């Protein structure tokens, strides 16, 4: 899905030559509380103990299906197809509940766009909740393309997910950086020959086999880090 509207472009440089690709959960937004509410309703119905926030956070990164299955496995209960559907329906009914932007996200996205970065989202989350969150938190228009887990054949860590994101945005010819909080983001970037920035404020952790190009401790650190990875070429303002 494409994002940025004409109005959102007015103050931005137009001769852009580099791309910043963002993960969603744990990178742009803190959504674990809302996801945990939905899975804990399911677990209580199965007479199982609910997940604590830290437990739920550790299971994120591979999409909602994988999260629900891992949550049930952690409590020693079996997840049926019908229960998985009900979990999805419960969460999708209002994915904005328990979801908030990390500090300085809009201001930093605006700064990156003004500095000539094209912005994209590559997430294993399904499209319906991803779009609802981006719209509901008023950052949808910053992004040229949003490529979600249920619109591609292979999700991160497969490099095909990143390639498809760049293809849909018309960015295959531009240098790009992947920003994410999970090993799947770093692995996808590595397999694509792309630089990566690990989002240290998120849920995940790095793995020895996949080293990020850089680590950021806060969202507002990104402009300087990204500039060091792909320096700007001279450009004129429209």
């Amino acid at each position: 899905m494409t994002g940025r509207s004409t109005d959102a472009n007015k103050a931005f440089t137009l001769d852009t030559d580099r791309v910043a690709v963002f993960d969603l959960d744990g990178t742009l937004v803190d959504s674990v509380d809302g996801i945990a509410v939905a899975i804990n309703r399911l677990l209580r119905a199965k007479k199982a103990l609910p997940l604590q926030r830290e437990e739920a956070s550790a299971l994120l990164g591979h999409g909602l299906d994988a999260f629900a299955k891992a949550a049930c496995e952690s409590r020693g209960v079996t997840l049926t197809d019908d229960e998985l559907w009900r979990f999805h329906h419960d969460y999708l009914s209002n994915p904005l509940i328990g979801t908030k932007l990390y500090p300085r996200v809009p201001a930093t996205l605006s700064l990156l766009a003004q500095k000539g970065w094209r912005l994209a989202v590559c997430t294993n989350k399904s499209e319906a909740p991803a779009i609802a969150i981006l719209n509901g938190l008023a950052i949808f228009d910053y992004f040229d393309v949003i490529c979600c887990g249920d619109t591609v054949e292979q999700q991160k860590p497969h490099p095909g997910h990143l390639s498809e994101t760049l293809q849909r945005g018309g960015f295959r010819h531009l240098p790009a950086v992947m920003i994410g909080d999970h090993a799947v983001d770093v692995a996808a970037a590595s397999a694509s020959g792309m630089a990566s920035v690990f989002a240290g404020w998120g849920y995940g952790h790095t793995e020895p086999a996949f080293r990020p190009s850089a680590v950021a401790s806060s969202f507002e650190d990104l402009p300087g880090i990204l500039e060091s990875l792909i320096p700007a070429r001279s450009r004129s303002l429209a």
Side-chain angles (χ1 to χ4, degrees):
M1 173 172 284
T2 56
R4 186 181 298 172
S5 69
T6 301
D7 288 343
N9 264 328
K10 286 182 178 176
F12 301 156
T13 56
L14 299 182
D15 56 337
T16 54
D17 56 19
R18 48 194 180 162
V19 186
V21 183
F22 291 87
D23 177 44
L24 181 59
D25 299 288
T27 302
L28 291 166
V29 302
D30 182 358
S31 57
V32 67
D33 291 334
I35 297 172
V37 166
I39 196 64
N40 283 339
R41 273 196 280 263
L42 172 63
L43 290 173
R44 289 189 182 98
K46 296 175 72 66
K47 309 300 182 185
L49 289 174
L51 295 181
Q52 300 301 310
R53 176 184 166 89
E54 293 74 16
E55 293 177 292
S57 298
L59 300 179
L60 291 173
H62 297 276
L64 287 178
D65 282 9
F67 169 82
K69 291 172 183 175
C72 287
E73 288 175 2
S74 75
R75 293 298 186 256
V77 295
T78 302
L79 180 68
T80 67
D81 290 342
D82 181 64
E83 288 167 338
L84 180 59
W85 181 89
R86 284 193 282 115
F87 163 69
H88 272 274
H89 184 269
D90 188 7
Y91 176 64
L92 293 176
S93 64
N94 194 344
L96 284 167
I97 291 177
T99 298
K100 60 185 178 181
L101 293 172
Y102 283 105
R104 303 291 296 170
V105 167
T108 303
L109 293 177
S110 180
L111 179 60
L112 289 172
Q114 291 178 54
K115 288 179 174 294
W117 289 89
R118 305 305 295 266
L119 307 179
V121 172
C122 178
T123 175
N124 285 345
K125 200 181 197 78
S126 54
E127 186 171 90
I131 298 303
I133 288 169
L134 292 169
N135 269 317
L137 298 179
I139 59 170
F140 178 87
D141 285 342
Y142 285 107
F143 299 101
D144 294 279
V145 61
I146 296 109
C147 189
C148 301
D150 60 343
T151 68
V152 292
E153 291 185 6
Q154 296 157 314
Q155 300 180 351
K156 297 177 297 183
H158 196 282
H161 196 171
L162 270 178
S163 297
E164 183 65 21
T165 303
L166 298 177
Q167 179 68 34
R168 293 181 187 185
F171 302 144
R172 288 295 295 273
H173 64 293
L174 297 179
V177 180
M178 177 74 215
I179 303 104
D181 72 305
H182 200 279
V184 300
D185 302 306
V186 178
S190 177
S192 300
M194 185 186 300
S196 62
V197 178
F198 181 75
W201 59 87
Y203 310 137
H205 54 83
T206 58
E207 294 182 359
F210 302 105
R211 298 283 186 185
S213 307
V215 176
S217 59
S218 67
F219 204 89
E220 61 187 336
D221 291 340
L222 289 176
I225 292 173
L226 293 176
E227 190 72 33
S228 71
L229 294 174
I230 306 179
R233 296 201 297 263
S234 61
R235 53 169 61 78
S236 60
L237 287 172

